[in-house]
Amino acid sequence: MSPVATKGSRVAVLFTSVFEALKDVKAESREDMDLALNAKSVEEALRSSGHDTWTQPFGKDPGKLISGLRSSGAEAVFNLSECPNLSPEKELHACALLELLRLPYTGNGPLALGLCNSKALAKQLMIANGIPTPRFRLYTVDPGGEPGLSYPLVVKPANEDGSAGITEDSVVSDLAGLRRQVKWLRDGFRQDSIVEEFVNGREFNVGVLGNGTASDPHRSLPPAELVYRNPRWRLCTYESKWNSSHPSYAEIAPVCPADAAPETVALLSEITLACARIFGLTGYARVDFRMNSNGELFVLEVNPNPDISPDAGMARAARAAGLSYTDLVAEILRLGLALGAR
């Protein structure tokens, strides 16, 4: 896989800081999670590829952002905005603003971001298009009775990111547990709950690049597997990702390429590309899977804005496909520029 080089563009690396939103997280972890760190890595990669680039925070005042982009002479934006105004549900507004400014930008557009942020809507779209995904219910109020699904179930926030609101307690085995978790999400996250049947098997994810156009068709990257070193853990939770003092931290190891049968690798790629087409993905994205005891694959989520830090899964998969981190960043920018002003 060889990226087409582009050089000499004036590129603002736009990011939203999440530092303020993580007051319950240790300072060093907050720094690691902050997109400012990721933006710096992207800036350095773009500079090494010959671009004139700088980081541009997406602050609380959109007027200042517009003035900053115009006065700097930005020709394109590498968009790492995930939570304008500290809200993941406003993720789509950042690229919508860039479209109104007629600035080319990287990654997915507002429609794909909005569809995928609504986990219930995304699953309905998958079901309508024959994509296998666990059966589910959406709860906007406390469950009044049995959900009509097979236990165990997983209870997750209906509109969140980064495994926020997902703990080992998210797996429930009866109605009392279901009610407890729905209430916990409503009280603690002010969120509706999406409840789906738990698929207790291997966990995979597959990165995808491309715009779904004739010149830049979607192509999948080598699949990765999240290997659970201790069977005590059943989910990739917020604590296992971000809380270094939690016993589950670093006990789930990513392996890429995954050690999987050729037919499994082929099916992972086939379903990933189908999701990319159905959701109209552009630039880059990732599809998350679980496999059941019969070897059947189920899509858990389509992530249209996955972490592209140098040590994150997207960069790991790109390296497995022969792309260095600098090449991956350059390719994502090229794909954004290829779409022009949207």
Side-chain angles (χ1 to χ4, degrees), residues 30-51:
R30 291 165 68 186
E31 291 174 1
D32 288 345
M33 296 167 69
D34 197 5
L35 288 169
L37 196 62
N38 190 8
K40 198 67 183 172
S41 298
V42 169
E43 179 193 19
E44 291 171 358
L46 290 175
R47 188 162 292 148
S48 69
S49 297
H51 297 286

Side-chain angles (χ1 to χ4, degrees), residues 26 33 72 100 131 146 157 208 211 250 295:
K26 287 184 177 180
M33 296 167 69
S72 64
L100 292 175
I131 299 295
E146 291 291 351
V208 58
N211 291 332

